Amino acid sequence: MTQFPTLIDQIAAAVLSPAEITENPHHRAILDVFGETQELDRQLAELAAASLPGISAGEQLDTLTDLLVERMAAGAELSALLSTSCCCCAAAYEPDPAEDDEPAFDPGFEGFDDFEDPEGDELDDLHEEAVEDFLSCPSRPQTIVHACLDVFDDHGSPEYVSSAELVERLRVLPGHADERWRYADLNTLRLSLILRRSHGVQSHRPRAADGSRYRAFRRADLLGALAD
């Protein structure tokens, strides 16, 4: 989706059929986190004004506190995105090197005389080996959903795994969790955004053994996302 995520803009895109434009992932991340802050603000307002039968004041306070922490994290994430320069935008303003600029090599340099450059079939073999190694790498999950399910499997396939535990395990993976963020850059907010907006997987708040609640994802939801 490259248009602004409102109903009016979606209708305009469908009716006017503008030329397709490749969206900027950094800008999309700003919109997603901004939308998340608005949603959390709405939940906070509803919870603060609601009278919840069957829920104690202590439980309501715990839920309100959790939402406040998430809202503060989302606000900090939004501030970080707004203050970070966009590499895609910077590249657009990068001046082209002058045509008459040439590398300042020493004409008498002979350091590469003994270097043997692979040719023909040998070069093709090297390329095929590199591609095969990359595709067969066991630490390269197909999607972030597969990566999360790998964590569940490592824990004995429980019903829930906490967001914090998933993030801790996912951050050591190579590559990108989605088009915006690397696995190494994940936090609980980013994980929640990616799973919900890209795969339709919502987080839950199950009870721990001591009766407290924690933010977690459910294995059945992740398996359902794979089926879709």
Side-chain angles (χ1 to χ4, degrees):
M1 181 172 62
T2 56
Q3 73 272 11
F4 194 81
T6 66
L7 178 60
I8 292 178
D9 293 293
Q10 292 174 22
I11 294 174
V15 173
L16 301 177
S17 299
E20 184 175 352
I21 301 174
T22 301
E23 70 179 23
N24 185 308
H26 185 80
H27 295 166
R28 173 57 59 185
I30 292 174
L31 284 177
D32 285 348
V33 177
F34 177 64
E36 182 73 5
T37 61
Q38 290 184 311
E39 173 62 19
L40 289 170
D41 283 340
R42 183 190 65 78
Q43 293 181 34
L44 282 168
E46 288 183 355
L47 183 61
S51 176
L52 304 176
I55 298 180
S56 67
E59 289 179 321
Q60 187 169 356
L61 180 60
D62 288 342
T63 302
L64 184 62
T65 301
D66 288 344
L67 279 175
L68 281 171
V69 171
E70 286 191 56
R71 176 59 180 84
M72 292 171 66
E77 178 75 10
L78 182 59
S79 297
L81 286 168
L82 289 171
S83 61
T84 302
S85 62
C86 174
C87 58
C88 302
C89 300
Y93 294 97
E94 189 72 23
D96 294 330
E99 294 182 358
D100 57 349
D101 288 346
E102 295 183 0
F105 288 123
D106 182 355
F109 180 71
E110 299 178 354
F112 295 114
D113 290 347
D114 296 330
F115 177 75
E116 295 183 2
D117 190 14
E119 298 179 356
D121 294 338
E122 184 180 355
L123 183 59
D124 292 338
D125 291 342
L126 287 173
H127 172 72
E128 291 177 3
E129 289 177 8
V131 171
E132 184 178 354
D133 289 343
F134 174 73
L135 293 178
S136 62
C137 176
S139 62
R140 178 180 172 267
Q142 298 178 48
T143 67
I144 192 171
V145 175
H146 291 86
C148 288
L149 286 171
D150 287 343
V151 178
F152 273 79
D153 291 342
D154 291 342
H155 282 70
S157 301
E159 183 179 5
Y160 294 100
V161 169
S162 71
S163 301
E165 176 66 18
L166 284 172
V167 167
E168 181 180 352
R169 295 290 301 277
L170 294 176
R171 282 173 61 90
V172 302
L173 293 177
H176 282 71
D178 73 344
E179 63 182 2
R180 293 162 293 184
W181 293 305
R182 299 177 304 163
Y183 281 107
D185 297 328
L186 284 181
N187 54 35
T188 54
L189 175 64
R190 291 174 178 178
L191 176 64
S192 178
L193 283 171
I194 294 172
L195 289 178
R196 184 172 70 253
R197 306 219 172 187
S198 299
H199 303 281
V201 177
Q202 297 277 358
S203 63
H204 298 270
R205 297 186 67 250
R207 288 188 181 276
D210 61 0
S212 63
R213 293 187 178 274
Y214 63 100
R215 186 69 61 183
F217 287 91
R218 187 167 59 184
R219 184 171 183 270
D221 295 338
L222 295 165
L223 290 173
L226 288 186
D228 295 340

